[in-house]
């Protein structure tokens, strides 16, 4: 006999999950006209580049460490807790959050704070409707995200190189923005482990470190949540981390970027404000001093 959700989850949680999943029909009926314009028509990087040049410090600090060690991660079964200031807290499978028939392709630029960039054809679902189905309470102002903590699957968590688990956060309006997705795959396939299987955040107008991988918890909070890089180096990495060619990192310029795979002689290309997504997101930061709120 196959175990069902009701066998492994307390009744209240199962009921709230059922209400959550039944909200999906409404979401699928939503118009998707505007979405096509979210994808860039720039040429995507190759699958090999996207899966062999990674930052995933749970597997080591080298760019090739994730490809080498991420086979230790077991992305199935997987549960994502949604909790905090929500009406329907619960534990959800990846299929609950991103049913296969609702997943869409988003070809996004990814700009790492280190000064390199790629173009990645993600598969995923917008985060906003997921939060709406969970029922955001009026007091919620931020969304906190947490990566799996399991040193047996993520060997560098046995070291104290960073505070584990990796955590990130967004303001609620950033999390609700239609560009913000939970990605479950790329190039039409399930998410490779080194890219954050089975489910990760992608926020294309922010430096790559905001796009937290292998998420096990999403919490709605009133207070701005801590983030791993702010904890490590608050003078260098802010909460917002919007891609901004005019605000340099204290140790290097952010005016240009190196596109991975462009070739030895391609040279660096100019970095765009909000990574080229300004028309969609600049209004979120109206009146803010982006040099102070970096
Ligand atoms: N998420 C976790 N849990 N651990 C990490 O080390 N690195 C971040 C981000 N998400 C990281 C993470 C950084 S610095 C970048 S640039 C992107 O993942 C890289 O994503 P990619 O390897 O899929 O290109």
């Amino acid at each position: 006999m196959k175990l069902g959700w009701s066998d492994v989850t307390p009744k209240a949680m199962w009921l709230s999950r059922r209400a959550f999943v039944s909200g999906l029909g409404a979401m699928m009926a939503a118009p998707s006209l505007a979405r096509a314009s979210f994808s860039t028509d720039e040429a995507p990087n190759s699958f090999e580049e996207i899966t062999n040049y990674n930052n995933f410090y749970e597997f080591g600090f080298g760019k090739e460490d994730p490809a080498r060690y991420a086979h230790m991660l077991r992305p199935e079964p997987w549960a994502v807790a949604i909790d905090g200031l929500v009406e329907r807290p619960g534990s959800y499978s990846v299929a609950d959050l991103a049913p296969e028939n609702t997943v869409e392709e988003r070809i996004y630029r990814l700009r790492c704070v280190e000064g390199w960039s790629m173009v990645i054809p993600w598969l995923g679902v917008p985060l906003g409707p997921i939060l709406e189905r969970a029922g955001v309470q009026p007091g919620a102002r931020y969304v906190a995200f947490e990566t799996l903590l399991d040193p047996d699957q993520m060997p560098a968590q046995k070291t104290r190189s960073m505070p584990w688990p990796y955590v990130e956060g967004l303001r609620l309006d950033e999390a609700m923005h239609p560009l913000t997705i939970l990605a479950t795959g790329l190039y039409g396939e399930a998410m490779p482990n080194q890219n954050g299987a089975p489910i990760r955040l992608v926020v294309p107008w922010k430096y790559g470190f905001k796009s937290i991988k292998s998420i096990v918890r999403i919490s709605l909070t009133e207070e701005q949540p801590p983030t791993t890089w702010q904890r490590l180096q608050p003078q260098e990495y802010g909460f917002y981390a919007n891609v901004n060619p005019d605000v340099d990192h204290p140790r290097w310029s952010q005016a240009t970027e190196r596109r991975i795979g462009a070739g030895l002689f391609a040279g660096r290309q100019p970095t765009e404000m909000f990574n080229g997504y300004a028309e969609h997101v600049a209004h979120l930061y109206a009146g803010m001093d982006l040099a102070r709120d970096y």
Side-chain angles (χ1 to χ4, degrees), residues 50 53-58 66 110-114 116 118 120 122 147-148 154 162 164 166-167 186 191 194-196 200-201 207-214 229:
I50 294 168
Y53 188 92
N54 300 102
N55 281 334
F56 200 168
Y57 297 117
E58 286 84 341
L110 176 96
R111 168 62 156 84
C112 179
V113 74
E114 296 164 334
W116 54 266
M118 290 200 201
I120 305 182
W122 301 110
T147 293
L148 175 72
M154 296 181 153
M162 305 212 355
W164 312 111
Y166 194 101
V167 291
L186 59 87
M191 188 66 77
Q194 57 265 49
N195 294 90
R200 68 167 300 168
L201 186 69
Y207 290 120
F209 67 83
K210 298 294 290 182
S211 292
I212 179 173
K213 297 176 170 182
S214 304
W229 286 98

mmCIF file of all heavy atoms in Angstrom, residues 50 53-58 66 110-114 116 118 120 122 147-148 154 162 164 166-167 186 191 194-196 200-201 207-214 229, ligand 1:
data_model
loop_
_atom_site.group_PDB
_atom_site.id
_atom_site.type_symbol
_atom_site.label_atom_id
_atom_site.label_comp_id
_atom_site.label_asym_id
_atom_site.label_seq_id
_atom_site.Cartn_x
_atom_site.Cartn_y
_atom_site.Cartn_z
ATOM 1 N N ILE A 50 26.323 25.785 -17.197
ATOM 2 C CA ILE A 50 25.414 26.071 -16.083
ATOM 3 C C ILE A 50 25.585 25.065 -14.943
ATOM 4 O O ILE A 50 25.344 25.388 -13.781
ATOM 5 C CB ILE A 50 23.950 26.084 -16.598
ATOM 6 C CG1 ILE A 50 23.748 27.264 -17.563
ATOM 7 C CG2 ILE A 50 22.952 26.154 -15.452
ATOM 8 C CD1 ILE A 50 22.441 27.199 -18.348
ATOM 9 N N TYR A 53 29.963 25.325 -13.368
ATOM 10 C CA TYR A 53 30.546 26.545 -12.805
ATOM 11 C C TYR A 53 29.508 27.092 -11.835
ATOM 12 O O TYR A 53 28.564 27.769 -12.229
ATOM 13 C CB TYR A 53 30.836 27.547 -13.933
ATOM 14 C CG TYR A 53 31.617 28.761 -13.505
ATOM 15 C CD1 TYR A 53 33.021 28.775 -13.578
ATOM 16 C CD2 TYR A 53 30.978 29.909 -13.035
ATOM 17 C CE1 TYR A 53 33.740 29.891 -13.190
ATOM 18 C CE2 TYR A 53 31.690 31.027 -12.646
ATOM 19 C CZ TYR A 53 33.067 31.014 -12.730
ATOM 20 O OH TYR A 53 33.784 32.125 -12.336
ATOM 21 N N ASN A 54 29.626 26.700 -10.580
ATOM 22 C CA ASN A 54 28.566 26.991 -9.611
ATOM 23 C C ASN A 54 29.097 27.568 -8.308
ATOM 24 O O ASN A 54 30.248 27.329 -7.942
ATOM 25 C CB ASN A 54 27.795 25.703 -9.258
ATOM 26 C CG ASN A 54 27.135 25.067 -10.452
ATOM 27 O OD1 ASN A 54 27.639 24.084 -11.003
ATOM 28 N ND2 ASN A 54 26.014 25.607 -10.876
ATOM 29 N N ASN A 55 28.236 28.281 -7.617
ATOM 30 C CA ASN A 55 28.459 28.617 -6.216
ATOM 31 C C ASN A 55 27.417 27.868 -5.402
ATOM 32 O O ASN A 55 26.211 28.093 -5.570
ATOM 33 C CB ASN A 55 28.288 30.125 -5.964
ATOM 34 C CG ASN A 55 29.511 30.923 -6.379
ATOM 35 O OD1 ASN A 55 30.621 30.395 -6.399
ATOM 36 N ND2 ASN A 55 29.306 32.187 -6.701
ATOM 37 N N PHE A 56 27.899 26.961 -4.559
ATOM 38 C CA PHE A 56 27.003 26.210 -3.668
ATOM 39 C C PHE A 56 27.927 25.741 -2.544
ATOM 40 O O PHE A 56 28.468 24.643 -2.563
ATOM 41 C CB PHE A 56 26.376 25.038 -4.421
ATOM 42 C CG PHE A 56 25.108 24.488 -3.802
ATOM 43 C CD1 PHE A 56 24.305 23.601 -4.523
ATOM 44 C CD2 PHE A 56 24.688 24.829 -2.511
ATOM 45 C CE1 PHE A 56 23.123 23.083 -3.999
ATOM 46 C CE2 PHE A 56 23.515 24.327 -1.978
ATOM 47 C CZ PHE A 56 22.731 23.442 -2.738
ATOM 48 N N TYR A 57 28.111 26.673 -1.592
ATOM 49 C CA TYR A 57 29.176 26.507 -0.604
ATOM 50 C C TYR A 57 28.978 25.315 0.314
ATOM 51 O O TYR A 57 29.926 24.858 0.943
ATOM 52 C CB TYR A 57 29.342 27.808 0.189
ATOM 53 C CG TYR A 57 29.768 28.941 -0.722
ATOM 54 C CD1 TYR A 57 28.965 30.056 -0.928
ATOM 55 C CD2 TYR A 57 30.967 28.855 -1.420
ATOM 56 C CE1 TYR A 57 29.347 31.067 -1.796
ATOM 57 C CE2 TYR A 57 31.356 29.856 -2.286
ATOM 58 C CZ TYR A 57 30.547 30.956 -2.475
ATOM 59 O OH TYR A 57 30.930 31.946 -3.339
ATOM 60 N N GLU A 58 27.769 24.756 0.334
ATOM 61 C CA GLU A 58 27.539 23.541 1.105
ATOM 62 C C GLU A 58 28.356 22.374 0.557
ATOM 63 O O GLU A 58 28.519 21.352 1.226
ATOM 64 C CB GLU A 58 26.045 23.177 1.065
ATOM 65 C CG GLU A 58 25.151 24.073 1.929
ATOM 66 C CD GLU A 58 24.718 25.380 1.267
ATOM 67 O OE1 GLU A 58 25.364 25.802 0.280
ATOM 68 O OE2 GLU A 58 23.743 25.984 1.737
ATOM 69 N N PRO A 66 30.649 21.942 -6.483
ATOM 70 C CA PRO A 66 29.250 21.470 -6.517
ATOM 71 C C PRO A 66 29.046 20.339 -7.529
ATOM 72 O O PRO A 66 28.409 19.327 -7.210
ATOM 73 C CB PRO A 66 28.460 22.727 -6.893
ATOM 74 C CG PRO A 66 29.308 23.855 -6.371
ATOM 75 C CD PRO A 66 30.729 23.416 -6.627
ATOM 76 N N LEU A 110 21.577 35.791 -14.969
ATOM 77 C CA LEU A 110 22.006 35.641 -13.571
ATOM 78 C C LEU A 110 23.324 36.388 -13.430
ATOM 79 O O LEU A 110 24.290 36.085 -14.140
ATOM 80 C CB LEU A 110 22.216 34.166 -13.211
ATOM 81 C CG LEU A 110 22.753 33.948 -11.802
ATOM 82 C CD1 LEU A 110 21.612 33.653 -10.832
ATOM 83 C CD2 LEU A 110 23.752 32.803 -11.722
ATOM 84 N N ARG A 111 23.354 37.377 -12.540
ATOM 85 C CA ARG A 111 24.571 38.189 -12.342
ATOM 86 C C ARG A 111 25.067 37.915 -10.924
ATOM 87 O O ARG A 111 24.402 38.246 -9.937
ATOM 88 C CB ARG A 111 24.223 39.666 -12.534
ATOM 89 C CG ARG A 111 25.290 40.693 -12.097
ATOM 90 C CD ARG A 111 26.602 40.582 -12.850
ATOM 91 N NE ARG A 111 27.347 41.846 -12.841
ATOM 92 C CZ ARG A 111 28.154 42.263 -11.850
ATOM 93 N NH1 ARG A 111 28.330 41.507 -10.772
ATOM 94 N NH2 ARG A 111 28.789 43.427 -11.963
ATOM 95 N N CYS A 112 26.242 37.296 -10.832
ATOM 96 C CA CYS A 112 26.826 37.020 -9.517
ATOM 97 C C CYS A 112 27.525 38.277 -9.019
ATOM 98 O O CYS A 112 28.112 39.031 -9.802
ATOM 99 C CB CYS A 112 27.812 35.858 -9.597
ATOM 100 S SG CYS A 112 28.598 35.494 -8.004
ATOM 101 N N VAL A 113 27.492 38.485 -7.723
ATOM 102 C CA VAL A 113 28.137 39.647 -7.101
ATOM 103 C C VAL A 113 29.647 39.651 -7.366
ATOM 104 O O VAL A 113 30.293 40.681 -7.312
ATOM 105 C CB VAL A 113 27.820 39.676 -5.576
ATOM 106 C CG1 VAL A 113 28.605 38.608 -4.821
ATOM 107 C CG2 VAL A 113 28.062 41.058 -4.982
ATOM 108 N N GLU A 114 30.201 38.460 -7.715
ATOM 109 C CA GLU A 114 31.644 38.363 -7.993
ATOM 110 C C GLU A 114 32.021 38.954 -9.344
ATOM 111 O O GLU A 114 33.208 39.077 -9.646
ATOM 112 C CB GLU A 114 32.081 36.889 -7.975
ATOM 113 C CG GLU A 114 31.917 36.226 -6.625
ATOM 114 C CD GLU A 114 31.979 34.692 -6.701
ATOM 115 O OE1 GLU A 114 31.662 34.109 -7.761
ATOM 116 O OE2 GLU A 114 32.334 34.093 -5.681
ATOM 117 N N TRP A 116 30.668 37.835 -12.579
ATOM 118 C CA TRP A 116 30.419 37.007 -13.761
ATOM 119 C C TRP A 116 28.914 36.854 -13.953
ATOM 120 O O TRP A 116 28.130 37.128 -13.042
ATOM 121 C CB TRP A 116 31.102 35.625 -13.651
ATOM 122 C CG TRP A 116 30.777 34.841 -12.420
ATOM 123 C CD1 TRP A 116 31.494 34.820 -11.250
ATOM 124 C CD2 TRP A 116 29.655 33.960 -12.214
ATOM 125 N NE1 TRP A 116 30.883 33.983 -10.335
ATOM 126 C CE2 TRP A 116 29.760 33.446 -10.894
ATOM 127 C CE3 TRP A 116 28.583 33.557 -12.998
ATOM 128 C CZ2 TRP A 116 28.831 32.550 -10.353
ATOM 129 C CZ3 TRP A 116 27.642 32.672 -12.465
ATOM 130 C CH2 TRP A 116 27.782 32.178 -11.155
ATOM 131 N N MET A 118 25.607 34.695 -16.390
ATOM 132 C CA MET A 118 25.156 33.644 -17.310
ATOM 133 C C MET A 118 23.731 33.961 -17.727
ATOM 134 O O MET A 118 23.082 34.837 -17.154
ATOM 135 C CB MET A 118 25.116 32.276 -16.608
ATOM 136 C CG MET A 118 26.439 31.682 -16.272
ATOM 137 S SD MET A 118 26.226 29.893 -16.009
ATOM 138 C CE MET A 118 27.696 29.573 -15.052
ATOM 139 N N ILE A 120 20.271 31.648 -18.088
ATOM 140 C CA ILE A 120 19.843 30.297 -17.699
ATOM 141 C C ILE A 120 18.351 30.095 -18.006
ATOM 142 O O ILE A 120 17.520 30.894 -17.582
ATOM 143 C CB ILE A 120 20.111 30.053 -16.188
ATOM 144 C CG1 ILE A 120 21.594 30.318 -15.881
ATOM 145 C CG2 ILE A 120 19.680 28.638 -15.788
ATOM 146 C CD1 ILE A 120 22.003 30.073 -14.441
ATOM 147 N N TRP A 122 15.472 28.636 -16.902
ATOM 148 C CA TRP A 122 14.884 27.966 -15.735
ATOM 149 C C TRP A 122 13.518 27.394 -16.071
ATOM 150 O O TRP A 122 12.822 27.888 -16.964
ATOM 151 C CB TRP A 122 14.690 28.952 -14.583
ATOM 152 C CG TRP A 122 15.910 29.639 -14.099
ATOM 153 C CD1 TRP A 122 16.219 30.966 -14.267
ATOM 154 C CD2 TRP A 122 16.987 29.077 -13.340
ATOM 155 N NE1 TRP A 122 17.422 31.244 -13.669
ATOM 156 C CE2 TRP A 122 17.917 30.115 -13.090
ATOM 157 C CE3 TRP A 122 17.262 27.803 -12.853
ATOM 158 C CZ2 TRP A 122 19.102 29.910 -12.377
ATOM 159 C CZ3 TRP A 122 18.442 27.604 -12.137
ATOM 160 C CH2 TRP A 122 19.345 28.640 -11.909
ATOM 161 N N THR A 147 17.933 26.963 3.528
ATOM 162 C CA THR A 147 18.424 25.775 2.817
ATOM 163 C C THR A 147 18.462 24.583 3.762
ATOM 164 O O THR A 147 18.559 24.748 4.993
ATOM 165 C CB THR A 147 19.836 26.060 2.265
ATOM 166 O OG1 THR A 147 19.742 27.059 1.262
ATOM 167 C CG2 THR A 147 20.502 24.828 1.667
ATOM 168 N N LEU A 148 18.418 23.381 3.202
ATOM 169 C CA LEU A 148 18.562 22.153 3.989
ATOM 170 C C LEU A 148 19.807 22.220 4.890
ATOM 171 O O LEU A 148 20.852 22.714 4.477
ATOM 172 C CB LEU A 148 18.716 20.970 3.015
ATOM 173 C CG LEU A 148 18.986 19.605 3.629
ATOM 174 C CD1 LEU A 148 17.745 19.069 4.326
ATOM 175 C CD2 LEU A 148 19.457 18.618 2.561
ATOM 176 N N MET A 154 25.395 17.436 2.655
ATOM 177 C CA MET A 154 26.082 18.663 2.256
ATOM 178 C C MET A 154 27.383 18.750 3.054
ATOM 179 O O MET A 154 27.425 19.338 4.147
ATOM 180 C CB MET A 154 25.173 19.859 2.529
ATOM 181 C CG MET A 154 23.913 19.825 1.688
ATOM 182 S SD MET A 154 22.851 21.260 1.979
ATOM 183 C CE MET A 154 22.017 21.365 0.390
ATOM 184 N N MET A 162 31.072 28.693 7.098
ATOM 185 C CA MET A 162 29.975 29.651 7.046
ATOM 186 C C MET A 162 28.981 29.272 8.129
ATOM 187 O O MET A 162 28.967 28.141 8.590
ATOM 188 C CB MET A 162 29.253 29.570 5.682
ATOM 189 C CG MET A 162 30.167 29.737 4.532
ATOM 190 S SD MET A 162 29.587 30.511 3.051
ATOM 191 C CE MET A 162 27.938 30.856 3.112
ATOM 192 N N TRP A 164 25.708 27.824 9.056
ATOM 193 C CA TRP A 164 24.701 26.998 8.387
ATOM 194 C C TRP A 164 23.430 26.951 9.204
ATOM 195 O O TRP A 164 23.510 27.038 10.410
ATOM 196 C CB TRP A 164 25.240 25.569 8.175
ATOM 197 C CG TRP A 164 26.588 25.489 7.589
ATOM 198 C CD1 TRP A 164 27.738 25.071 8.207
ATOM 199 C CD2 TRP A 164 26.969 25.826 6.237
ATOM 200 N NE1 TRP A 164 28.798 25.118 7.332
ATOM 201 C CE2 TRP A 164 28.367 25.582 6.129
ATOM 202 C CE3 TRP A 164 26.274 26.304 5.135
ATOM 203 C CZ2 TRP A 164 29.076 25.806 4.948
ATOM 204 C CZ3 TRP A 164 26.976 26.525 3.959
ATOM 205 C CH2 TRP A 164 28.355 26.277 3.875
ATOM 206 N N TYR A 166 22.363 28.023 5.172
ATOM 207 C CA TYR A 166 22.317 29.231 4.344
ATOM 208 C C TYR A 166 20.897 29.794 4.444
ATOM 209 O O TYR A 166 19.914 29.060 4.337
ATOM 210 C CB TYR A 166 22.615 28.830 2.910
ATOM 211 C CG TYR A 166 22.947 29.935 1.925
ATOM 212 C CD1 TYR A 166 24.267 30.198 1.570
ATOM 213 C CD2 TYR A 166 21.942 30.683 1.303
ATOM 214 C CE1 TYR A 166 24.578 31.177 0.624
ATOM 215 C CE2 TYR A 166 22.247 31.662 0.366
ATOM 216 C CZ TYR A 166 23.572 31.912 0.030
ATOM 217 O OH TYR A 166 23.868 32.870 -0.900
ATOM 218 N N VAL A 167 20.810 31.099 4.707
ATOM 219 C CA VAL A 167 19.491 31.738 4.806
ATOM 220 C C VAL A 167 19.449 32.979 3.939
ATOM 221 O O VAL A 167 20.484 33.627 3.697
ATOM 222 C CB VAL A 167 19.129 32.106 6.275
ATOM 223 C CG1 VAL A 167 18.883 30.853 7.100
ATOM 224 C CG2 VAL A 167 20.212 32.974 6.910
ATOM 225 N N LEU A 186 15.880 23.176 -15.143
ATOM 226 C CA LEU A 186 16.470 24.033 -16.174
ATOM 227 C C LEU A 186 16.700 23.200 -17.428
ATOM 228 O O LEU A 186 16.834 21.977 -17.352
ATOM 229 C CB LEU A 186 17.755 24.710 -15.668
ATOM 230 C CG LEU A 186 18.929 23.874 -15.193
ATOM 231 C CD1 LEU A 186 19.848 23.488 -16.348
ATOM 232 C CD2 LEU A 186 19.741 24.684 -14.176
ATOM 233 N N MET A 191 15.793 19.931 -11.781
ATOM 234 C CA MET A 191 16.925 20.735 -11.342
ATOM 235 C C MET A 191 18.133 19.854 -11.015
ATOM 236 O O MET A 191 18.049 18.940 -10.193
ATOM 237 C CB MET A 191 16.534 21.512 -10.080
ATOM 238 C CG MET A 191 17.576 22.531 -9.655
ATOM 239 S SD MET A 191 17.751 23.875 -10.848
ATOM 240 C CE MET A 191 16.293 24.848 -10.478
ATOM 241 N N GLN A 194 23.543 20.386 -8.301
ATOM 242 C CA GLN A 194 24.468 21.494 -8.068
ATOM 243 C C GLN A 194 23.833 22.861 -8.276
ATOM 244 O O GLN A 194 24.374 23.877 -7.853
ATOM 245 C CB GLN A 194 25.733 21.355 -8.940
ATOM 246 C CG GLN A 194 25.479 21.274 -10.426
ATOM 247 C CD GLN A 194 25.403 19.843 -10.911
ATOM 248 O OE1 GLN A 194 24.695 19.016 -10.329
ATOM 249 N NE2 GLN A 194 26.123 19.523 -11.980
ATOM 250 N N ASN A 195 22.668 22.895 -8.932
ATOM 251 C CA ASN A 195 21.965 24.164 -9.125
ATOM 252 C C ASN A 195 20.859 24.397 -8.090
ATOM 253 O O ASN A 195 20.126 25.379 -8.187
ATOM 254 C CB ASN A 195 21.393 24.254 -10.537
ATOM 255 C CG ASN A 195 22.486 24.303 -11.585
ATOM 256 O OD1 ASN A 195 22.923 23.253 -12.070
ATOM 257 N ND2 ASN A 195 22.976 25.482 -11.917
ATOM 258 N N GLY A 196 20.765 23.482 -7.107
ATOM 259 C CA GLY A 196 19.807 23.738 -6.025
ATOM 260 C C GLY A 196 18.589 22.854 -6.000
ATOM 261 O O GLY A 196 17.503 23.288 -5.618
ATOM 262 N N ARG A 200 14.524 25.870 -5.730
ATOM 263 C CA ARG A 200 15.341 27.017 -5.314
ATOM 264 C C ARG A 200 14.644 28.303 -5.720
ATOM 265 O O ARG A 200 13.757 28.311 -6.578
ATOM 266 C CB ARG A 200 16.704 26.968 -5.988
ATOM 267 C CG ARG A 200 16.564 27.204 -7.470
ATOM 268 C CD ARG A 200 17.834 27.489 -8.208
ATOM 269 N NE ARG A 200 18.571 28.642 -7.776
ATOM 270 C CZ ARG A 200 19.820 28.869 -8.185
ATOM 271 N NH1 ARG A 200 20.424 28.007 -8.989
ATOM 272 N NH2 ARG A 200 20.461 29.944 -7.791
ATOM 273 N N LEU A 201 15.101 29.375 -5.115
ATOM 274 C CA LEU A 201 14.593 30.695 -5.460
ATOM 275 C C LEU A 201 15.393 31.252 -6.638
ATOM 276 O O LEU A 201 16.595 30.986 -6.745
ATOM 277 C CB LEU A 201 14.772 31.601 -4.238
ATOM 278 C CG LEU A 201 14.193 33.015 -4.308
ATOM 279 C CD1 LEU A 201 12.669 32.977 -4.311
ATOM 280 C CD2 LEU A 201 14.691 33.831 -3.110
ATOM 281 N N TYR A 207 21.710 40.249 -7.086
ATOM 282 C CA TYR A 207 22.915 39.432 -7.185
ATOM 283 C C TYR A 207 22.564 37.984 -6.845
ATOM 284 O O TYR A 207 21.682 37.716 -6.010
ATOM 285 C CB TYR A 207 24.007 39.979 -6.257
ATOM 286 C CG TYR A 207 24.559 41.296 -6.757
ATOM 287 C CD1 TYR A 207 24.469 42.453 -5.995
ATOM 288 C CD2 TYR A 207 25.151 41.374 -8.021
ATOM 289 C CE1 TYR A 207 24.960 43.662 -6.472
ATOM 290 C CE2 TYR A 207 25.642 42.575 -8.510
ATOM 291 C CZ TYR A 207 25.548 43.723 -7.731
ATOM 292 O OH TYR A 207 26.021 44.906 -8.224
ATOM 293 N N GLY A 208 23.279 37.082 -7.499
ATOM 294 C CA GLY A 208 22.952 35.659 -7.441
ATOM 295 C C GLY A 208 22.839 35.085 -6.044
ATOM 296 O O GLY A 208 22.101 34.115 -5.836
ATOM 297 N N PHE A 209 23.548 35.668 -5.062
ATOM 298 C CA PHE A 209 23.524 35.046 -3.735
ATOM 299 C C PHE A 209 22.144 35.102 -3.089
ATOM 300 O O PHE A 209 21.868 34.363 -2.146
ATOM 301 C CB PHE A 209 24.611 35.608 -2.821
ATOM 302 C CG PHE A 209 24.474 37.054 -2.405
ATOM 303 C CD1 PHE A 209 23.676 37.425 -1.340
ATOM 304 C CD2 PHE A 209 25.201 38.045 -3.067
ATOM 305 C CE1 PHE A 209 23.575 38.751 -0.946
ATOM 306 C CE2 PHE A 209 25.114 39.374 -2.681
ATOM 307 C CZ PHE A 209 24.293 39.735 -1.618
ATOM 308 N N LYS A 210 21.256 36.007 -3.594
ATOM 309 C CA LYS A 210 19.889 36.044 -3.056
ATOM 310 C C LYS A 210 19.091 34.801 -3.474
ATOM 311 O O LYS A 210 18.112 34.445 -2.833
ATOM 312 C CB LYS A 210 19.139 37.287 -3.547
ATOM 313 C CG LYS A 210 19.713 38.619 -3.138
ATOM 314 C CD LYS A 210 19.665 38.888 -1.654
ATOM 315 C CE LYS A 210 18.263 39.120 -1.100
ATOM 316 N NZ LYS A 210 18.321 39.434 0.356
ATOM 317 N N SER A 211 19.502 34.185 -4.593
ATOM 318 C CA SER A 211 18.733 33.073 -5.167
ATOM 319 C C SER A 211 19.101 31.762 -4.476
ATOM 320 O O SER A 211 19.806 30.905 -5.020
ATOM 321 C CB SER A 211 18.960 33.007 -6.678
ATOM 322 O OG SER A 211 18.378 34.136 -7.307
ATOM 323 N N ILE A 212 18.600 31.608 -3.285
ATOM 324 C CA ILE A 212 18.966 30.508 -2.372
ATOM 325 C C ILE A 212 18.510 29.151 -2.920
ATOM 326 O O ILE A 212 17.413 29.017 -3.450
ATOM 327 C CB ILE A 212 18.389 30.805 -0.966
ATOM 328 C CG1 ILE A 212 18.703 29.696 0.024
ATOM 329 C CG2 ILE A 212 16.882 31.039 -1.034
ATOM 330 C CD1 ILE A 212 18.291 30.046 1.458
ATOM 331 N N LYS A 213 19.392 28.173 -2.739
ATOM 332 C CA LYS A 213 19.182 26.836 -3.305
ATOM 333 C C LYS A 213 18.611 25.849 -2.286
ATOM 334 O O LYS A 213 18.750 26.027 -1.077
ATOM 335 C CB LYS A 213 20.524 26.289 -3.808
ATOM 336 C CG LYS A 213 21.134 27.111 -4.937
ATOM 337 C CD LYS A 213 22.507 26.585 -5.338
ATOM 338 C CE LYS A 213 22.988 27.255 -6.619
ATOM 339 N NZ LYS A 213 24.292 26.715 -7.057
ATOM 340 N N SER A 214 18.042 24.764 -2.811
ATOM 341 C CA SER A 214 17.620 23.607 -1.992
ATOM 342 C C SER A 214 16.871 24.048 -0.730
ATOM 343 O O SER A 214 17.296 23.789 0.392
ATOM 344 C CB SER A 214 18.838 22.744 -1.634
ATOM 345 O OG SER A 214 19.516 22.339 -2.806
ATOM 346 N N TRP A 229 25.014 36.271 3.879
ATOM 347 C CA TRP A 229 26.121 37.142 3.486
ATOM 348 C C TRP A 229 26.165 38.412 4.296
ATOM 349 O O TRP A 229 27.243 38.975 4.533
ATOM 350 C CB TRP A 229 26.087 37.397 1.976
ATOM 351 C CG TRP A 229 26.547 36.164 1.286
ATOM 352 C CD1 TRP A 229 25.764 35.192 0.737
ATOM 353 C CD2 TRP A 229 27.903 35.707 1.178
ATOM 354 N NE1 TRP A 229 26.551 34.169 0.284
ATOM 355 C CE2 TRP A 229 27.856 34.455 0.534
ATOM 356 C CE3 TRP A 229 29.136 36.239 1.564
ATOM 357 C CZ2 TRP A 229 29.015 33.727 0.258
ATOM 358 C CZ3 TRP A 229 30.281 35.522 1.291
ATOM 359 C CH2 TRP A 229 30.219 34.280 0.646
HETATM 360 N N1 LIG B 1 22.320 28.856 -2.089
HETATM 361 C C1 LIG B 1 22.920 28.098 -1.155
HETATM 362 N N2 LIG B 1 22.168 27.366 -0.328
HETATM 363 N N3 LIG B 1 24.271 28.059 -0.999
HETATM 364 C C2 LIG B 1 25.088 28.820 -1.795
HETATM 365 O O1 LIG B 1 26.320 28.761 -1.617
HETATM 366 N N4 LIG B 1 25.252 30.456 -3.618
HETATM 367 C C3 LIG B 1 24.559 31.616 -4.212
HETATM 368 C C4 LIG B 1 23.219 31.204 -4.830
HETATM 369 N N5 LIG B 1 22.481 30.334 -3.925
HETATM 370 C C5 LIG B 1 24.502 29.646 -2.799
HETATM 371 C C6 LIG B 1 23.090 29.610 -2.939
HETATM 372 C C7 LIG B 1 25.368 32.300 -5.205
HETATM 373 S S1 LIG B 1 26.688 33.212 -4.608
HETATM 374 C C8 LIG B 1 25.068 32.275 -6.559
HETATM 375 S S2 LIG B 1 25.914 33.256 -7.670
HETATM 376 C C9 LIG B 1 24.031 31.374 -7.078
HETATM 377 O O2 LIG B 1 23.452 30.557 -6.072
HETATM 378 C C10 LIG B 1 24.636 30.472 -8.140
HETATM 379 O O3 LIG B 1 23.654 29.689 -8.751
HETATM 380 P P1 LIG B 1 24.087 28.617 -9.863
HETATM 381 O O4 LIG B 1 25.221 27.834 -9.308
HETATM 382 O O5 LIG B 1 22.874 27.799 -10.108
HETATM 383 O O6 LIG B 1 24.493 29.403 -11.076
#
